[in-house]
Every structure is written in structure tokens, then in C-alpha cells.
């Protein structure tokens, strides 16, 4: 299983700031950020998969596991063929996958998880506020209605949180997600930089 992608999972409830932190991290040399939410939103809305995505996400539900993992695998493979993602030199920062216990099992064949960054935000009302703000800024259908947002938070508690139990506790790093983007980024990098340096010692020479 040596040809698995070396990855760190960016983990946390909707609104905890995975997307913000992921795109900041993706600007750092040697890190490659990949978000399944962005992957799904980039699908053609008129395509079969695009319609499947809309049906689920507009209700705050997850896309079925097999479809999600199969699409993710094609997506990562395409990016590595095109040289956009370089598995030998880039640490893959996965945002939004695996998101259920079944996905975790399916993903094991493709990824070697070096760490899990768990953004902890326990203030539910603050999360709902952040998501409503984002809905207005980004016109996201899944954040537009409060009942859909609350459903997404419930789905997270019920289906996604158990994913953490799959990984050795030594791999899971809890990080307080309340604070400015810069402050949270600083805390993440304290964990990530040593993982990156240890596993990709020659990353910046290539
Ligand atoms: P957030 O992190 O705010 O929940 P994302 O942008 O990660 O939002 O995801 C948006 C939507 O895309 C989800 O509500 C879900 O419908 C779908 N989605 C993203 N990742 C997955 C996944 N791993 N499995 C199933 N559905 C997913």
C-alpha cells in the first residue's frame, strides 16, 4: 500500500472554517488543498452528477458514499496526471472527505493519513451565524435556510464525527477554531509543519 497518497485531513463541523483554512494552506509551497465541496460545486449543473449533488446538498444531506469516493478518486487522479497535484512532493490536505464511516473504509485504500486537524467549534449559534453570512456572500443554496443549516450540523454530529474514532488518537489534533483566520492558521501550522518536514524532507528542492 505504498502508493497511497500521503494526506492530512482537515476536519470540523460546517462553519468551523475548513474552507478558509484550507485555501490559506493551499497557498503554501508543498501543501495541496483539495475540497470535496468545491469539487461538487464545480460540476456542470446540467450533468447527471451535478443534478445528484444539487438534490442532496440543497437539503443539507450528504451525497451517497460510493459516488463521492469514486468521483474524488477520478478527480485526484486527473489533477496528478495534469501535474497540478504532485503526490511525491505535495502533502495532500483533504477537506470534506472522508465524511462518513463508510467513506473512511473506502478511502483507506487510497490515502495514508499522517494526521487529522480537528477544528473544534462548539458554539452552535456562532456556527449558524457564520454559515448565514457565507450564504449571503457566496449565494450557497445549502446555507440559505436556517433549517437546512441546522440539518447539516445534525448530519455532522451523527455521521461525520464518528470518523474521528477510526484514527489513532495520537494522529488527531484538536484545534480551537474560534478566533481570527490568522490566529487559527498559526495553530494549525504548528502541527502541520513538523508533519510536512518529516514526511517530505526534499519537498522544496523539486
Ligand atoms: P461544509 O463544509 O460547509 O459542510 P462543503 O462545501 O464541504 O460544506 O460541502 C457542501 C456539500 O457537498 C455537502 O453538504 C454535501 O452535500 C456535499 N459533500 C461534500 N463533501 C462530501 C462528502 N465527502 N460526502 C458526501 N457529500 C459531500
Amino acid at each position: 500500500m505504498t502508493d497511497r497518497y500521503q494526506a492530512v485531513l482537515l476536519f470540523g463541523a460546517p462553519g468551523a472554517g475548513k474552507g478558509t483554512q484550507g485555501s490559506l494552506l493551499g497557498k503554501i509551497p508543498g501543501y495541496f488543498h483539495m475540497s470535496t465541496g468545491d469539487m461538487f460545486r464545480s460540476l456542470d449543473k446540467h450533468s447527471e452528477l451535478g443534478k445528484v449533488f444539487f438534490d442532496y446538498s440543497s437539503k443539507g444531506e450528504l451525497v451517497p458514499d460510493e459516488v463521492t469516493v469514486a468521483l474524488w478518486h477520478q478527480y485526484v487522479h486527473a489533477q496528478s496526471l495534469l501535474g497540478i497535484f504532485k503526490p511525491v512532493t505535495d502533502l495532500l490536505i483533504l477537506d470534506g472527505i472522508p465524511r462518513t464511516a463508510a467513506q473512511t473504509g473506502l478511502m483507506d485504500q487510497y490515502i495514508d493519513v499522517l494526521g487529522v486537524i480537528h477544528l473544534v467549534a462548539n458554539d452552535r449559534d456562532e456556527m449558524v451565524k457564520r454559515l448565514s453570512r457565507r450564504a449571503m456572500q457566496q449565494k450557497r443554496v445549502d446555507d440559505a435556510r436556517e433549517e437546512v443549516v441546522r440539518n447539516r450540523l445534525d448530519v455532522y454530529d451523527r455521521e461525520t464525527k464518528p470518523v474521528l474514532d477510526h484514527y489513532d488518537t495520537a494522529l488527531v489534533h484538536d484545534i480551537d477554531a474560534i478566533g481570527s483566520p490568522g490566529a487559527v492558521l498559526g495553530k494549525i501550522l504548528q502541527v502541520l509543519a513538523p508533519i510536512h518536514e518529516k514526511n517530505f524532507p526534499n519537498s522544496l528542492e523539486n
Side-chain angles (χ1 to χ4, degrees):
M1 300 250 266
T2 48
D3 52 356
R4 293 183 302 169
Y5 301 113
Q6 294 195 292
V8 166
L9 310 183
L10 203 50
F11 201 85
K18 295 189 304 290
T20 304
Q21 295 301 326
S23 55
L24 290 170
L25 290 167
K27 296 197 170 71
I28 300 174
Y31 296 171
F32 190 84
H33 171 235
M34 189 175 280
S35 146
T36 48
D38 291 346
M39 170 186 84
F40 279 125
R41 281 185 291 274
S42 72
L43 292 171
D44 176 356
K45 287 188 190 60
H46 307 291
S47 68
E48 221 29 68
L49 266 178
K51 287 182 200 156
V52 169
F53 167 63
F54 184 83
D55 284 346
Y56 285 95
S57 65
S58 58
K59 297 187 206 103
E61 299 291 335
L62 298 176
V63 178
D65 295 323
E66 304 273 347
V67 178
T68 299
V69 173
L71 177 65
W72 173 83
H73 187 229
Q74 283 181 304
Y75 188 72
V76 70
H77 184 62
Q79 308 231 22
S80 67
L81 277 181
L82 295 171
I84 300 169
F85 164 51
K86 301 185 183 68
V88 176
T89 56
D90 296 343
L91 172 61
L92 185 59
I93 314 281
L94 279 184
D95 163 358
I97 196 166
R99 212 154 163 147
T100 63
Q103 287 181 19
T104 309
L106 292 168
M107 291 293 284
D108 276 344
Q109 60 190 308
Y110 302 126
I111 55 172
D112 174 17
V113 175
L114 305 176
V116 180
I117 304 287
H118 178 206
L119 295 177
V120 183
N122 289 326
D123 186 341
R124 219 176 153 91
D125 289 336
E126 169 65 22
M127 292 303 101
V128 174
K129 237 190 279 163
R130 283 191 189 183
L131 290 168
S132 309
R133 219 179 300 137
R134 179 170 80 184
M136 289 195 283
Q137 287 162 355
Q138 301 179 2
K139 298 197 175 66
R140 278 184 52 164
V141 295
D142 52 348
D143 291 338
R145 296 206 325 266
E146 184 164 331
E147 66 198 273
V148 176
V149 167
R150 294 209 180 263
N151 187 37
R152 289 203 310 129
L153 292 167
D154 289 341
V155 168
Y156 174 78
D157 284 341
R158 196 175 60 234
E159 298 193 41
T160 306
K161 247 185 162 176
V163 166
L164 283 177
D165 301 332
H166 181 78
Y167 299 103
D168 192 324
T169 48
L171 290 181
V172 180
H173 304 270
D174 285 352
I175 291 185
D176 182 1
I178 305 297
S180 64
V184 177
L185 179 66
K187 288 185 269 183
I188 294 176
L189 286 174
Q190 278 178 15
V191 174
L192 218 47
I195 294 177
H196 182 240
E197 284 172 8
K198 180 167 170 232
N199 292 281
F200 294 85
N202 305 317
S203 165
L204 302 180
E205 290 168 15
N206 294 284

